Each structure stands twice: as structure tokens, then as C-alpha cells.
Amino acid sequence: LLNGVLHDAIMKAAGKGFINRLVVDEAHIVIDWGNLFRTEFQFLSAWRKRLLQESRGRLKTVLLSATITDWAAEMLRDMFAEPGRYIEVRGDELRSEPTYLLDTSRNDEERYQKITDNIHLLPKPLILYVSTREHAQEWYDRLRKKGYRSVERFTSDTQGELRRTLVRQWNEDEIDIMVATSAFGMGVDKKEIRTIVHCCMPESINRFYQEVGRAGRDGLASLSLFSFVPEDEEIARSLMKSAVITTEKLVGRWDSLFQQASRTDVADEYWVRMNIQPRNLEGTRSGKRNENWNESLLLLLYRHKFIDILKVEQMEGQSRRVLIKVLDYQTINSPDLLYNAVEPYREKERNRINEELREMRQLIAQADSKCFSSFFCKMYHHAQPVCSGCPHCRKVQNDAMYVKSDIFISCPKSTAQEPPAVCGPLADYIWGTNEALLSGTEQQRCDPEAVAHLVNRLIEANVSLFIVPDMAAEERKRMICRLPGEEADFYYTLLTYSERQSPLHFLQGHAAVFYSGNPARDSRLYRWAQDYQHLHADAVIIHIGEPELFIQDEGRTLAHLVNTVPYRIDDYLSQQDDEFEIKLL
């Protein structure tokens, strides 16, 4: 996507109006992996800006994740959204499949003995997670020495054909045990994994939970065994420390990159090559890790608005080069000013890492006194406790919390703005009330073309939510083709009877309800309208049905329930068409 044939095809399609959505699934990976390991994920944010321009502002970006930390959500917002153009909906849900076990050994040798002697008792398929490539090799050798044959290893060094072969064998149940670093998981969608073993200390509860969640995706029970030795904490700390560049090194790297950047015809735009070495490494071979550090540095400066990233290019067999635009030349060109500007961000990053390690250490230390789900709920603030067994719950004989509570969906109040006032002839119909009743023939309420015509006129009156009859696919297509498309200045939502169960607080604006003539269904539609108006006090409801329509649950007709004079659809359309023509003149 970043460059090459696919990039050109996508941009060309966007320019012709064929691409209006960019959807990123598992969006937390952009943050978790994109900071250093797979920088392409974060370069997507710059690529998206260009796609937005090519689509002439029509592009909408959707970022999806089942469980996400507040820090990751904040980063994604800064990278993928323009100010004032961001809506966040949160409803984290903990998995009910895992049962958690925690075992502590005095040293590596004791842990090796325990695991290799008992791993045959654990349900398969099984992933055994470790922290380093060296540990993966050692565990693999130990298991093979014990006689296990259906075992393989997978790390960041596993590339190309071997990588594809291992994934295929894993998916086709040819491998029982996969010894892996955190590199194994993304893009591997095997639902029936039964056990996750951690022979390491994950650097955060987020990583621990994400890896545990790779088991039991078929909805059946899974097992999490966390096997810990004291040395694991120091390994986790050193790995996290090495993943955060010091401010001194950051400034030195940037100085080398900027001094060797190539000027363009535009004064503040430069091409920067990613294989440039910092001064202390000049003359040595530039590897992928050096390029990743340089790319991570550019992304940090980009996130904090020191530079803008305009384009990423990579020729075959060569390292990347990045076209940047300098936004704060004075800071960027002064090592001292850059240090002072960046150091607060680095300090905040260090504090976050230390806090995550501290919480992981607490999970181990307090496993007997606190339910695991309490740690997960602290990480994912919008989740509710779910536990199918952990050391604490087994100790106090708590019942497993299998039944999930209703998920609380958090949607910021700022996104639910007061709707614009109803206008045109419709405003006269609702004088002194917040309801209107439009009556007409069954064809006017159910025929695709007639429904589309009325919806168009109601949109002009600032009605933005419509509950319409269920239709066959062809009929629905005929109706939608007659409604405003992406070019419309006014957003509206169209739901059929079967779709109206969408959570009411996601919806907003004045609403029009097309009644069906079926007594049972119409009672439900009327109750929906009442519930919607109770939640959205400023909303007007337009009831489209016959005045004598009997609402069973209320024991009264629609005319008696709607506090307004009924108006004929034909009369309304005629008046609205006249007003529309006057506006055009």
C-alpha cells in the first residue's frame, strides 16, 4: 500500500470516487507492533492523509479492536484523525474461555523440568511463548530431546517460505506445540487453540491478555499457564528498555538523517534515506534494525507535529526513503531545542513502561488475593469482570463468572449534538409539539420509489433517521439508488424494521417511522419511537401511518396517541416541492 503498483491503483481509484472507506482491523497492532517491529503499520497514518486528499475528503476511516488500552486509543486518534473529526465508541469485553494457572519456579532449570515433564497433560494445540529468539531455540531443543516431535518454533527471524510453511502446518493441525515469541499470532487465525503457556514475563498485562486470547476462539474452554521465574522480570525490563531510544540517541540520529537529507524544489521538503547511520556507527553495515530505528524516529517526530510525512518510497532491493515536510524548522534544526522538546515525551513513555511492568509484577504477586479479571478491567476500563477460574477464585471458591453482564458502550456526549431544527412545511405540522402524523396509501408507505421520494423530502426538512419496511434486495437497491449518496451535505441513517434494534444511543437526529399495517409489528415500532424520544428529548418523531391504525399495546389509535393533526402525504409533498422550487429560483 505504501508504494508500488498497488499504491498507484488505490490512489487512482480514490481519485475516481471508488474508495470511500479505510478500515483497519486489529488496530491495536498499529501501536503494539508498529512502533519499531513493523513500522509500516504506523506509516499507514501518513498514507491515509494522501488517500483522504485523493478522495477529495470523502474518505472515512474506521479503526476496530476488541480490547484496546487508553494509551493506544489516544495514539490512534492522534495518528488517524483530524481535530474535531473523531468519534470513539468503547465497549471492551473480556473473554470467558480461559482458565488461568500460575506457577512459580526458583530458576530456569526447575521450570524446564516441570514443563517438559508435564506438557503432555496440557490440551493441544498449544503455544509456548518466550521472550527471545535464543529462549525459543532452547525450549525447542529441550522438547525435542524429551521426545516431542510435533513441535516447531516461530520468531521474528522466521521469514519467507519457512514462515508460510509453518503457518500452513499449524492451521492444518500438523503441529501440536508451537514455541514462539510475540511475533507469532497476527495473521494466524486458528480458532481451536486450547492452551497458552507463558515461560516468560510479558512486559504488560495487555500483551499477556492478547496472547492468552489467541486460544479458545471457537468459544470452547481454554487454558492459560503462566510459568514464572524471578529472572523473567529483568529480561522483560531490559527488552522494554531497549525498545525506547534515549533522547540523546534520538537527537543524534536525527542530526545524521537531516544533515544527509536531499533537498527538493520545495524549501521545507526533504527526502530522507532510512539506511543512514548515526555518527557513532558510521562505516558499519546498515541493517534492518538501524532502518527501523530511523523510521521509528521519523514517526515520533511526525506524531508530535515536528514534521509531516508526505510520501514513503522503496525501490526493489533498496532501503526506504521518506519525503518529509518540516513544520517546526527552528526546533528541528537545533539539537538543544529538539532535546528539550522531545524529552517530556520520552519521560512519559518511560513512566508508562515502568507502570506496565509494575502492574504485571502485581498480577504475579497478588494472584492469590485478587481475581485476574480485576487487572484486566484496570487495563481495559470499559470491560466488566469475567473469570472462568484463576488462582484467587479457586482459593476462595468463587463461582466462575461465565455469564457476561450487558456490555456498557461508552460514546462521548460531544458526538451527540443537538439536531438542526425541522424546517419547511414540516415545521408548521409540529407547532407546539415534537411529533407529526403523515397519512397516505399503503403504496406511499411501502413502495421503494415512493418511500425514497418521501425520504428525500424529509431529509430536506432536516430529518436524519428513517425506519422503513423490510424489502427484497432488488427493491432495497431501487430505493437506495434514489437517495442522496456520499456527496450529500447532510448525514442520515436508514434502518429497516429488522435493523432497528441498533442501540438507541448510537442514533441521533429527528426520526421518521414508516408503519406497516401489521398490528403486532406496529406496536413494537411505536414503542421504539417512544423509547427513542425518551432518550433524545430534542428529537422530533414523524409517524407515517393511517390515523385509525390501532396500537395494541396502548389500546388506542395512532391519531389518539400522536398529539397533532394528521396531514396527508400528498399535501406535504406538494408543499415541500413548492418550497424547494422557490429556493432554487
Side-chain angles (χ1 to χ4, degrees), residues 330-393:
Q330 183 177 10
T331 300
I332 282 296
N333 204 34
S334 168
D336 290 339
L337 290 178
L338 183 59
Y339 182 96
N340 293 332
V342 170
E343 175 59 18
Y345 300 126
R346 298 286 82 189
E347 181 64 22
K348 184 178 179 181
E349 178 79 349
R350 287 190 290 270
N351 291 339
R352 180 186 64 82
I353 288 172
N354 288 332
E355 176 64 17
E356 289 183 347
L357 284 170
R358 186 183 67 81
E359 290 176 351
M360 195 68 212
R361 187 169 62 246
Q362 283 185 344
L363 180 141
I364 298 168
Q366 300 175 11
D368 285 343
S369 58
K370 290 181 68 174
C371 176
F372 272 32
S373 69
S374 65
F375 293 96
F376 301 147
C377 288
K378 187 177 180 181
M379 179 67 63
Y380 311 115
H381 292 157
H382 303 280
Q384 296 184 27
V386 173
C387 182
S388 297
C390 69
H392 168 69
C393 291

Side-chain angles (χ1 to χ4, degrees), residues 68 83 133 174 183 233 244 248 269 317 369 388 440 474 562 566:
I68 194 168
R133 296 185 296 271
E174 296 177 16
E233 182 177 347
V244 180
E248 292 86 354
E269 293 182 8
S369 58
S388 297
E474 279 303 314
V562 179

